């Protein structure tokens, strides 16, 4: 009852014991009284919103009018649910303080609750354009770069507001948010959300817009895919499977009206998955970066790179004066990287002895001998290479986007990608292929079976849930 359209707080991602939740914004008095009256009439004269009124003392009741009592009750239940889920942070994506239609406030929000009922929570106002704005995205040929929202519109009255304790973690000038284009704004908001859930506390996070079926699934889906690409959640899922999950669950099950949005050209759904190309870098990773190794003094980079798994022999065969420490070794010949090795030399004499040993020992002569062309790797390639532990990245190609069409599936490339880049590109490629064959980017009115049903059918076939039959 407390939230718009009855869309209560629901946990949808569990990460490090923290609940990432979604909901609609708070309901206004008009909707609240309308639903209360409707429930009263069709419940035979009883209404849950007024149940347990004996919990409120007579003295409290005397000083509160009916409006206040009703809001106390329903929002009190909402707060109990938030506390039960250990939610401490509430991120509000609305560009308004209250949604107004026909001159009436049809919704409210935590940030303008007059009784300050949500004062114990950390409230973040991070205004983000609604689905109507994505019509401009489509009209610009699906190019989000350079597309800036008009913050001077009359209905926009919610400024960006983030506690300093959260902004100081990120190297972002938040005062410039009104000049950001759609790409930069989405990137910075996602960085903020990742920073919050990666904090040291055990507190959960709530994300909501107005109804919770456009902007909310955009960021919930991006969070889920980003954490999955880091191997932190849904580790057993392949790219096609995580795509099916986030499309069916985060978008359609929670009420995204794809057919209606397509008919209006408001393609926020397409934007979400095409946007994956903008969050492949490690700056969006929630995983802790690996500890970098410093180059041991006295050794050249080429000498370190020549320490390949099959050539180096036993860690104790080089010298008794220094040790070889392995961390996360790939274990396969030819995939050995400098980041997996730490050398601890005992001084210049040890280094000289090691080089002498390299020149005389039959085992180490291989190090100084030119490698066959198929075994030789450039230094930069060795430093950038990452071992992949997932079966999906082992069998997938590296992709880079070519051409200007938003629906063009990325072609194979020789550029070495990180595991995160590979996994996100695999998801994006699968989405583009399915979207192209079911919906496309043509300004036509799709039918429900051709849009939602056809799209889910493509994903279902990809994960083996369907045969050749059509929904």
């Amino acid at each position: 009852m407390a939230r718009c359209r009855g869309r209560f707080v629901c946990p949808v991602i569990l990460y490090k014991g923290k609940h990432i939740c979604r909901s609609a914004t708070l309901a206004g008095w008009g909707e609240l009284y309308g639903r209360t009256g409707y429930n009263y009439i069709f419940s035979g004269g009883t209404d849950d919103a007024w149940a347990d009124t004996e919990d409120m003392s007579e003295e409290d009741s005397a000083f509160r009018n009916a409006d206040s009592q009703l809001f106390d009750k329903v929002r009190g239940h909402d707060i109990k649910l938030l506390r039960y889920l250990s939610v401490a942070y509430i991120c509000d994506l609305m560009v308004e303080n209250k949604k107004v239609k026909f001159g009436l406030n049809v919704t409210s929000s935590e940030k303008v609750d007059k009784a300050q009922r949500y004062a114990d929570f950390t409230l973040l106002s991070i205004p983000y354009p609604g689905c109507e704005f994505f019509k401009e995205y489509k009209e610009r040929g699906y190019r989000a770069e350079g597309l800036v929202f008009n913050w001077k519109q009359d209905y926009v009255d919610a400024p960006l507001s983030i506690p300093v304790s959260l902004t100081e973690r990120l190297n972002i000038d938040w005062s410039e948010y009104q000049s950001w284009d759609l790409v930069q704004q989405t990137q910075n908001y996602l960085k903020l959300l990742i920073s919050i859930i990666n904090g040291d506390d055990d507190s959960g996070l709530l994300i909501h817009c107005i109804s919770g079926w456009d902007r909310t699934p955009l960021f919930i889906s991006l969070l889920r895919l980003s954490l999955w690409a880091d191997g932190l959640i849904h580790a057993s899922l392949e790219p096609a499977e995580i795509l099916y999950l986030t499309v069916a669950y985060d978008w359609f099950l929670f009420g995204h009206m794809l057919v209606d949005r397509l008919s209006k050209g408001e393609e926020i759904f397409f934007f979400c998955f095409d946007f994956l190309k903008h969050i492949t870098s490690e700056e969006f990773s929630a995983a802790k970066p690996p500890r970098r190794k410093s180059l041991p003094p006295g050794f050249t980079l080429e000498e370190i790179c020549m320490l390949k798994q099959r050539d180096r022999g036993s860690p104790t065969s080089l010298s008794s004066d220094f040790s070889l420490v392995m961390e996360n070794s790939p274990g396969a010949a030819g995939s050995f990287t400098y980041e997996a090795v730490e050398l601890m030399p005992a001084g210049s004499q040890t280094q000289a002895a090691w080089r002498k040993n390299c020149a005389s020992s039959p085992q180490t002569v291989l190090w100084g001998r030119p490698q066959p062309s198929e075994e030789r790797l450039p230094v930069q390639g060795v430093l950038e290479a990452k071992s992949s532990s997932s079966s999906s990245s082992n069998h997938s190609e590296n992709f880079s986007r070519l051409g200007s069409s938003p629906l063009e599936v990325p072609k194979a490339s020789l550029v070495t990608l990180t595991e995160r880049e590979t996994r996100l590109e695999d998801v994006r490629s699968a989405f583009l292929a399915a979207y192209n064959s079911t919906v496309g980017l043509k300004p036509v009115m799709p039918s429900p079976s051709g849009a939602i049903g056809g799209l889910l059918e493509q994903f279902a076939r990809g994960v083996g849930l369907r045969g050749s039959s059509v929904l």
Side-chain angles (χ1 to χ4, degrees), residues 407 409 431-441 455:
L407 278 180
V409 177
F431 173 83
L432 293 179
Y435 198 89
N436 185 40
S437 63
T438 55
V439 180
L441 298 182
L455 193 58

Side-chain angles (χ1 to χ4, degrees), residues 11 133 146 183 192-193 197 264 269 357 412 446 456 469:
F133 182 64
V183 172
L192 175 64
L193 298 177
I197 63 175
K264 298 175 181 177
F269 176 69
N357 188 32
L456 281 179
S469 61

Side-chain angles (χ1 to χ4, degrees), residues 207-218:
I207 301 173
H208 75 75
C209 49
I210 296 178
S211 296
W213 51 37
D214 291 306
R215 288 169 286 185
T216 298
L218 167 64

Side-chain angles (χ1 to χ4, degrees), residues 63 78 140 146 150-152 160 215 255 303 331 335 355 365 395-396 404 428 436 467:
F63 288 96
D78 183 64
R140 296 179 80 252
N150 180 11
W151 297 95
K152 299 186 182 300
L160 184 139
R215 288 169 286 185
E303 290 172 337
S335 62
R355 290 192 177 89
V365 165
H395 301 285
S396 62
S404 58
R428 179 172 170 267
N436 185 40

Side-chain angles (χ1 to χ4, degrees), residues 4 78 105 136 215 223 255 323 340:
C4 178
D78 183 64
N105 294 329
E136 297 184 36
R215 288 169 286 185
L223 265 179
S323 61

Side-chain angles (χ1 to χ4, degrees), residues 175-444:
S175 64
E176 298 293 326
Y177 79 97
Q178 292 189 357
S179 65
W180 295 340
D181 64 12
L182 189 57
V183 172
Q184 190 175 8
Q185 185 179 19
T186 309
Q187 286 178 327
N188 289 340
Y189 283 8
L190 184 61
K191 289 179 183 178
L192 175 64
L193 298 177
I194 293 174
S195 174
I196 292 174
I197 63 175
N198 244 16
D200 296 330
D201 57 4
D202 297 325
S203 301
L205 167 70
L206 170 65
I207 301 173
H208 75 75
C209 49
I210 296 178
S211 296
W213 51 37
D214 291 306
R215 288 169 286 185
T216 298
L218 167 64
F219 283 98
I220 290 292
S221 186
L222 289 176
L223 265 179
R224 189 185 300 279
L225 291 170
S226 181
L227 294 174
W228 169 82
D230 293 332
L232 300 176
I233 60 173
H234 309 306
S236 64
L237 298 187
E238 298 292 332
E241 295 171 330
I242 189 67
L243 178 60
Y244 185 91
L245 172 64
T246 190
V247 169
Y249 182 61
D250 295 330
W251 287 89
F252 294 156
L253 185 62
F254 279 86
H256 177 68
M257 298 181 290
L258 178 63
V259 176
D260 177 76
R261 298 297 183 254
L262 289 175
S263 67
K264 298 175 181 177
E266 300 166 352
E267 300 210 27
I268 187 173
F269 176 69
F270 177 83
F271 169 79
C272 174
F273 295 95
D274 191 50
F275 187 77
L276 294 177
K277 63 189 177 185
H278 294 295
I279 61 170
T280 58
S281 67
E282 295 302 316
E283 63 181 319
F284 298 96
S285 174
K288 293 183 179 180
R291 187 164 61 94
R292 304 291 296 181
K293 311 297 185 199
S294 59
L295 192 65
F299 290 93
T300 67
L301 186 60
E302 292 182 357
E303 290 172 337
I304 298 301
C305 293
M306 285 190 294
L307 286 175
K308 298 175 65 176
Q309 178 77 7
R310 65 176 183 177
D311 296 334
R312 60 183 175 85
S314 169
T316 58
S317 66
L318 301 179
S319 173
S320 60
D321 295 325
F322 66 83
S323 61
L324 187 64
V325 180
M326 296 295 299
E327 291 183 5
N328 300 323
S329 174
S335 62
F336 190 71
T337 65
Y338 165 64
E339 288 187 0
V341 178
E342 181 177 347
L343 290 173
M344 294 178 289
S348 57
Q349 294 180 351
T350 300
Q351 298 161 16
W354 176 74
R355 290 192 177 89
K356 182 178 180 181
N357 188 32
C358 290
S360 59
S361 172
Q363 179 183 3
T364 56
V365 165
L366 294 173
W367 297 357
R369 189 174 61 196
Q371 302 179 31
S373 59
E374 65 271 17
E375 296 181 1
R376 187 179 303 156
L377 293 175
V379 172
Q380 183 178 1
V382 174
L383 292 177
E384 293 179 353
K386 303 289 182 182
S387 65
S388 173
S389 60
S390 67
S391 60
S392 61
S393 59
N394 287 338
H395 301 285
S396 62
E397 294 178 314
N398 295 330
F399 293 96
S400 66
R401 190 182 181 201
L402 298 176
S404 58
S405 173
L407 278 180
E408 183 174 356
V409 177
K411 303 296 192 302
S413 170
L414 297 178
V415 178
T416 301
L417 303 180
T418 65
E419 182 176 2
R420 175 183 172 86
E421 290 173 321
T422 300
R423 302 185 85 184
L424 290 177
E425 280 295 341
D426 284 348
V427 172
R428 179 172 170 267
S429 298
F431 173 83
L432 293 179
Y435 198 89
N436 185 40
S437 63
T438 55
V439 180
L441 298 182
K442 299 178 181 179
V444 296

Side-chain angles (χ1 to χ4, degrees), residues 89-194:
Y89 303 96
I90 300 178
C91 296
D92 185 350
L93 295 166
M94 296 170 59
V95 297
E96 314 96 335
N97 287 321
K98 296 181 179 182
K99 181 66 176 179
V100 179
K101 283 190 176 182
F102 308 111
L104 298 176
N105 294 329
V106 294
T107 71
S108 183
S109 62
E110 299 89 352
K111 57 182 178 284
V112 292
D113 180 68
K114 293 180 180 179
Q116 297 293 307
R117 299 175 183 87
Y118 294 86
D120 292 337
F121 298 90
T122 301
L123 305 180
L124 295 84
S125 176
I126 48 175
Y128 190 83
C131 60
E132 302 86 357
F133 182 64
F134 288 84
K135 184 176 181 180
E136 297 184 36
Y137 163 69
K138 177 185 178 181
E139 292 172 348
R140 296 179 80 252
Y142 300 90
R143 294 191 308 274
E145 297 84 353
L147 180 57
V148 181
F149 180 68
N150 180 11
W151 297 95
K152 299 186 182 300
Q153 299 175 78
D154 293 338
Y155 69 94
V156 178
D157 59 358
L160 184 139
S161 176
I162 308 172
V164 177
S165 59
L166 299 179
T167 59
E168 63 187 6
R169 302 178 188 177
L170 303 168
N171 186 25
I172 298 174
D173 186 359
W174 295 98
S175 64
E176 298 293 326
Y177 79 97
Q178 292 189 357
S179 65
W180 295 340
D181 64 12
L182 189 57
V183 172
Q184 190 175 8
Q185 185 179 19
T186 309
Q187 286 178 327
N188 289 340
Y189 283 8
L190 184 61
K191 289 179 183 178
L192 175 64
L193 298 177
I194 293 174

